[in-house]
Amino acid sequence: MGKRSVTTAAAILSAAFSMPVVLNAQDQPRPAMSCPVDHDQLADSLKKSVKPGGGPSNGGLDNNEWAAVVNRQGVVCAVAYSGSKVDDQWLGSRAIAAEKANTANAFSLKDKAMATANLYAGAQPGGFLFGTALSNPPSPEVLYAGTPDEFGTPHDPMVGKPVGGVIVFGGGLALYDGNGVAGALGVSGDSSCADHNVAWRVRHLLGLDRVPAGVSPNMKDAIIYDIGPDGKSPSGFGHPKCNGKEDQIAVDLGAGVSGNVVR
């Protein structure tokens, strides 16, 4: 074998042996993501915040609920439900809860929170946020990955992935730990007004409600029931009332403002 052939063979062998090293480096697990809440904390707080779990009424249908949390990067940290099995709550609400969490995180800042309920009026035709609901479509590959047996468990297939989606009605709240936005929470499974009340309770139980400010100044990111008979919201951040006592409970809870005056 000539000198050139030996050199070429040596180069090929060297590349072949070095290639697995590069691939192995790429395949190394990524550092653990920073999450404000884990599954057990979320499930426990959710059960305590809904009537079927032994908690208080939230004024709506008093259904079992889904909850999801994303971190500040929009990656799903935890998904849980309040019932004893996966179909004790509306199956379609798992996806909505995750999208609400994504929305509240995406539209909240360190110095100003924006609940999903605060987006309703502006997202209507003619509103200053019209089209927002279509701006960040959810990923169906993330929403429908895995098997239903894993949904709402510590091994929910959404965990560790960004889900996307924008929801413009009540149930999504940013999470604040005193240093800024730590992520967000989404709750779904009842009327949107009741979902907001449940989310408010869950956030408080998690100790992540140190909200600095919002579009409802004194009540921060409270739901604002100021849409009049003409369909207009004087504040620009209003939400329609639902059919139960959700608005009364929200005011008593400190989670809502009823009337034309935004406090």
Side-chain angles (χ1 to χ4, degrees), residues 70-84:
V70 301
N71 67 6
R72 187 55 175 150
Q73 288 71 45
V75 174
V76 177
C77 291
V79 182
Y81 51 77
S82 63
S84 60

Side-chain angles (χ1 to χ4, degrees), residues 42-61:
L42 181 61
D44 180 64
S45 297
L46 181 62
K47 290 177 187 293
K48 291 176 179 175
S49 299
V50 296
K51 193 171 182 179
S57 173
N58 290 288
L61 301 171

